[in-house]
């Protein structure tokens, strides 16, 4: 059939062997499981915080990367989750109640903001979401009775059970890793489902999405709500990791850093969320070691360098390298081609 | 075949009532009249061509049917039901599917994913069940994917289901759009300039394809097209619009030789 002539060849990535990925996955799990047992508490905290921010960035990705909206409010949802669990712990309530309270409150606030915000786009939406951390920080300071004011709240949650024999940093690492793995798996399943396709359609072309039966506004509100829930959950994990929360944590700078992390890691990539978070956590430490006085300047230079070399982010760049290598190998073993 | 739609009571050519009835349709945008008193019928199972020079109102009419524009007056009935009051995102559930003039695909997603988007309205379920990847949802997804693959085969796209849609040549992208529209199991298919950008040979194949899917899927088709060869080959009935008004109606041959249509195309007003 001559219709076939103009078709491009099937994509080489599909031919990749499935065990290659399974082996890589298994190796990664083993490395992550052994890591806290052999590394220093400081290194453990770095990885734990990377996973915390990876969850917050993943939430942002659902909104920005999948659905094509923008938000400068993620730090506020992070704060709601963090204060939710910390305040509950402070009053002696069980940690699961705090978890539920923090995450649900973040989702409810996210949904309430989203209903009017979903009708806006671009700068207008950016401005609306900008107000969230601007309001949240003074609010956290003023509600001193509940939040501990500017001093913040010190809490003790998710203590290592006696039988494990683990130190606090090791146990917290495992708790955060399990929580992050769970919500990453949920997001991955959502992305593969028809919801994932619908979010993509809303981003690419609203008229197209509508013609397929997608209610555009409803999906934007849904993305915003999910994004807030992920932000809130990341806040809960943050309190598990550092056992502390203060208003300084949820400032606008965090929102901007999370957006930068998303851009660095690459949109619509689970790996990208982790890499972006790792950049945010690890690079400032390295630049601080290199030169304490010029730390921020060096961080900025690193950020610029990554964006210039890999404008679509680190994960897509890595993906391209892997594809090229696999493609070359594929040709080498098929000389008759 | 499995993709064949249950026709229920909407059979081909039953009774006197037309499947699509457009009556006195008028659409104005702040002083500009895009459509004025346009009316015509399309019988069930027929292929209706909509022709006319650029700016004649063909796409505006499609956008009224799709619900993107709200006409100032008139009515559009499909299978006896008034569709103008139905919001745009619910049109697909009424069995109205469309393609776009410039292929509106998700370029990063695979061809199969793009086609699956067309089945969105057939997949129920909550966000939570999608996140938990519950077996029921996955089974429905697999069944839909099998249907999508059959459609891709029908459209000559069997080898490229895993290719990112943006990597396909233009002509293939237009066929992906048709497959996507068919996956929603439509009763009425609106094709917006399906032949534009295609080679001569491709247009010939497209004509056969439209005729075949009409028969296989019990479709009624309205096609906006400039390519008179395609219009002559596939349509049962042609409506010509000029300046937002209907100027001629009849067989492709009759409409093409209509003096008003000819002068409109040649720019002689």
């Amino acid at each position: 059939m001559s219709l076939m002539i103009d078709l491009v060849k099937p994509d080489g990535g599909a031919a990749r062997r499935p065990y290659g990925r399974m082996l890589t996955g298994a190796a990664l799990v083993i490395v992550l499981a052994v890591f806290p047992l052999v590394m220093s508490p400081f290194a453990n905290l770095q990885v734990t915080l990377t996973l915390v921010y990876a969850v917050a960035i993943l939430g942002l990705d659902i909104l920005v990367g999948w659905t094509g909206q923008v938000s400068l409010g993620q730090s506020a949802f992070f704060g709601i989750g963090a204060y939710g669990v910390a305040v509950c712990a402070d009053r002696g309530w069980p940690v699961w109640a705090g978890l539920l309270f923090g995450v649900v409150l973040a989702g409810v606030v996210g949904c309430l903001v989203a209903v009017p915000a979903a009708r806006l786009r671009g700068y207008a939406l950016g401005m609306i979401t900008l107000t969230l951390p601007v309001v949240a920080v003074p609010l956290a300071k003023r509600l001193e009775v509940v939040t501990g004011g500017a001093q913040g709240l010190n809490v003790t949650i998710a203590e290592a059970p006696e039988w494990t024999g683990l130190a606090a940093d090791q146990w917290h690492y495992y708790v955060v890793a399990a929580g992050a793995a769970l919500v990453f798996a949920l997001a991955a399943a959502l992305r593969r489902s028809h919801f994932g396709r619908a979010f993509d359609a809303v981003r690419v072309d609203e008229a197209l999405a509508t013609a397929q039966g997608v209610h555009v506004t409803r999906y934007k509100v849904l993305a915003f709500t999910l994004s807030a829930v992920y932000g809130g959950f990341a806040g809960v994990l943050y309190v598990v990791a550092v056992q502390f929360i203060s208003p300084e944590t949820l400032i606008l700078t965090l929102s901007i850093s999370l957006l930068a992390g998303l851009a660095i890691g690459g949109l619509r990539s689970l790996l990208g969320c982790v890499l972006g978070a790792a950049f945010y956590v690890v690079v400032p430490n390295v630049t601080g070691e290199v030169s304490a006085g010029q730390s921020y300047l060096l961080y900025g230079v690193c950020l610029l360098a990554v964006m210039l070399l890999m404008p679509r982010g680190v994960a897509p760049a890595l993906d391209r390298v892997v594809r090229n290598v696999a493609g070359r190998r594929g040709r080498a073993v098929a000389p008759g081609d | 075949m499995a993709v064949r739609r249950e026709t229920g009571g909407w059979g081909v050519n039953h009774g006197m009532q037309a499947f699509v009835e457009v009556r006195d349709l008028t659409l104005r945008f702040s002083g500009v009249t895009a459509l004025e008193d346009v009316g015509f019928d399309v019988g069930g199972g027929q292929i209706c061509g909509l022709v006319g020079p650029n700016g004649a109102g063909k796409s505006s009419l499609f956008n009224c049917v799709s619900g993107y524009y709200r006409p100032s007056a008139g009515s559009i009935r499909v299978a006896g039901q008034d569709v103008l009051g139905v919001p745009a995102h619910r049109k697909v559930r009424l069995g109205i599917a469309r393609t776009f003039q410039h292929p509106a695909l998700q370029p990063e997603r695979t061809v199969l994913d793009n086609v699956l988007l067309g089945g969105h309205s057939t997949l129920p379920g909550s966000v939570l069940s999608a996140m938990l990847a519950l077996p029921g949802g996955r089974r429905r997804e697999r069944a839909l994917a099998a249907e999508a693959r059959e459609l891709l085969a029908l459209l000559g796209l069997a080898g490229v289901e895993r290719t990112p849609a943006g990597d396909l040549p233009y002509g293939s992208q237009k066929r992906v759009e048709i497959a996507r529209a068919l996956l929603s199991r439509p009763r009425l298919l609106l094709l917006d300039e399906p032949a534009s950008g295609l080679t001569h040979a491709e247009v010939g194949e497209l004509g056969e394809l439209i005729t075949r899917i009409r028969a296989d899927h019990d479709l009624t088709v309205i096609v906006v097209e400039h390519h008179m060869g395609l219009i002559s080959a596939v349509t049962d009935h042609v409506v010509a619009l000029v300046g937002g008004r209907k100027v001629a109606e009849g067989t492709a041959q009759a409409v093409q030789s209509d003096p008003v249509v000819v002068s409109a195309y040649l720019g002689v007003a």
Side-chain angles (χ1 to χ4, degrees):
Chain A
M1 191 175 175
S2 68
L3 277 177
M4 301 299 287
I5 293 169
D6 61 354
L7 302 178
V8 297
K9 279 174 134 187
D11 128 62
R16 256 185 279 164
R17 289 162 303 170
Y19 350 92
R21 303 191 88 175
M22 271 162 67
L23 279 178
T24 319
L28 195 70
V29 168
I30 291 169
V31 169
L32 281 175
V34 175
F35 188 92
L37 304 177
V38 295
M39 298 300 279
S40 69
F42 177 75
N44 290 346
L45 181 63
Q46 298 299 295
V47 176
T48 310
L49 283 177
T50 295
L51 294 174
V52 167
Y53 292 120
V55 170
I57 292 176
L58 174 57
L60 210 48
D61 195 24
I62 294 174
L63 188 71
V64 180
W66 301 13
T67 323
Q69 293 176 279
V70 71
S71 171
L72 287 165
Q74 193 68 339
S75 68
F77 298 116
F78 190 88
I80 291 173
Y83 270 106
V85 76
V87 167
C88 287
D90 194 42
R91 332 221 119 193
W93 296 348
V95 67
W96 60 263
L99 166 74
L100 208 64
F101 178 67
V103 170
V104 169
L105 189 63
V108 168
V109 174
C111 188
L112 287 177
V113 174
V115 170
R119 283 156 214 286
L120 304 171
R121 59 192 76 201
Y123 296 124
L125 182 60
M127 290 309 291
I128 291 282
T129 55
L130 174 70
T131 60
L132 287 168
V134 169
V135 171
V137 174
L139 203 64
K141 285 184 183 160
R142 288 292 184 84
L143 290 174
E144 211 168 336
V145 191
V146 188
T147 63
Q151 265 67 53
L153 283 175
N154 274 300
V155 293
T156 309
I157 58 166
E159 285 173 282
E162 199 76 47
W163 56 266
T164 59
L166 292 173
D169 63 292
Q170 294 168 325
W171 179 249
H172 294 154
Y173 173 106
Y174 285 125
V175 170
V176 169
L182 174 72
V183 297
F184 264 73
L186 294 177
L190 186 68
R191 178 128 186 91
R192 274 195 303 274
S193 76
H194 61 294
F195 284 94
R197 292 192 293 267
F199 285 128
D200 266 7
V202 168
R203 181 187 79 249
V204 171
D205 186 336
E206 291 186 9
L208 158 73
T210 307
Q212 315 309 319
V214 176
H215 191 303
V216 170
T217 309
R218 203 173 291 159
Y219 272 76
K220 284 181 174 178
V221 171
L222 178 60
F224 209 100
T225 307
L226 281 172
S227 174
V229 165
Y230 270 69
F233 187 66
V236 171
L237 295 181
Y238 177 82
V239 176
V240 171
V242 303
Q243 308 279 306
F244 173 71
I245 180 68
S246 81
E248 287 312 304
T249 309
L250 42 142
I251 54 174
L252 180 63
T253 314
L254 174 65
S255 285
I256 296 170
S257 297
L258 292 173
L259 265 180
L262 177 60
I264 282 178
L267 299 175
R268 297 182 287 286
S269 159
L270 296 179
L271 177 66
C273 295
V274 179
L275 293 176
F279 186 94
Y280 173 60
V281 172
V282 177
V283 172
N285 291 333
V286 176
T287 58
E289 297 246 321
V290 172
S291 159
Q294 314 284 299
S295 173
Y296 273 103
L297 184 68
L298 287 174
Y299 180 71
V301 169
C302 290
L303 213 152
L304 269 179
V306 171
M307 291 323 290
L308 283 174
L309 292 172
M310 295 172 269
R312 301 188 60 188
V314 180
L318 280 178
D319 196 46
R320 209 168 313 127
V321 170
V322 170
R323 259 166 213 266
N324 282 344
V325 170
R328 215 166 292 146
R329 205 187 292 154
R331 273 196 292 282
V333 295
D337 194 32
Chain B
M1 62 195 288
V3 288
R4 197 182 182 97
R5 189 172 44 80
E6 291 300 322
T7 49
W10 315 106
V12 174
N13 281 335
H14 74 95
M16 299 298 288
Q17 203 180 35
F19 189 70
V20 180
E21 297 166 89
V22 178
R23 292 283 176 276
D24 311 317
L25 201 67
T26 300
L27 175 70
R28 289 197 189 86
F29 302 105
S30 55
V32 182
T33 304
L35 292 168
E36 190 159 13
D37 284 333
V38 174
F40 60 91
D41 285 348
V42 185
Q46 299 232 301
I47 299 179
C48 171
L50 212 50
V51 302
N54 288 326
K58 308 181 299 289
S59 291
S60 295
L61 197 143
F62 264 24
N63 287 335
C64 289
V65 181
S66 296
Y68 300 146
Y69 296 161
R70 197 76 201 259
S72 336
S75 70
I76 302 174
R77 290 177 168 275
V78 175
Q81 185 180 355
D82 181 14
V83 299
L84 285 185
V86 179
H89 71 274
R90 289 244 279 280
K91 288 282 160 53
V92 70
R93 286 180 184 81
L94 293 180
I96 302 173
R98 69 171 290 170
T99 65
F100 293 85
Q101 199 170 328
H102 304 290
L105 298 175
Q106 306 180 335
E108 291 177 2
R109 288 257 184 183
T110 64
V111 167
L112 183 65
D113 273 352
N114 271 276
V115 176
L116 285 172
L117 178 65
H120 181 81
S121 60
T122 69
L123 290 175
S126 67
V127 186
L128 216 57
S129 73
M131 290 181 106
L132 296 172
L134 295 179
R138 277 160 62 190
R139 199 164 46 238
R140 273 198 293 271
E141 175 87 14
R142 269 198 302 276
L144 193 69
E147 244 180 79
R149 287 198 186 92
E150 281 188 51
L151 287 170
L152 283 172
L154 176 75
L155 287 152
L157 294 164
V160 292
E161 61 176 64
R162 287 173 171 278
T163 307
D167 293 355
L168 289 185
Y170 196 77
S172 304
Q173 292 193 5
K174 301 205 95 163
R175 290 205 301 278
V176 173
E177 279 224 319
I178 296 176
R180 182 179 63 200
L182 288 177
L183 195 64
S184 70
R185 298 165 198 166
R187 303 184 301 209
L188 173 64
L189 179 61
L190 308 175
L191 299 172
D192 198 350
E193 301 200 18
S196 75
L198 300 194
T199 64
H200 188 71
E202 283 176 326
V203 174
E205 283 166 358
L206 178 69
E208 287 170 27
L209 191 69
I210 293 172
T211 320
R212 197 166 48 186
I213 57 179
R214 182 254 305 254
D216 283 356
H217 297 257
D218 289 312
L219 282 173
T220 302
V221 181
I222 305 180
V223 50
V224 162
E225 191 48 72
H226 285 294
H227 196 291
M228 283 303 173
L230 182 70
I231 289 287
S232 304
V234 305
T235 57
D236 302 298
H237 171 230
V238 173
V239 173
L241 297 178
V242 175
R245 290 170 172 276
K246 183 174 84 175
V247 294
E249 184 172 9
T251 63
Q253 212 176 4
V255 168
Q256 276 177 76
S257 52
D258 186 285
V260 182
V261 177
V262 171
S263 68
Y265 267 100
L266 296 177
V268 191

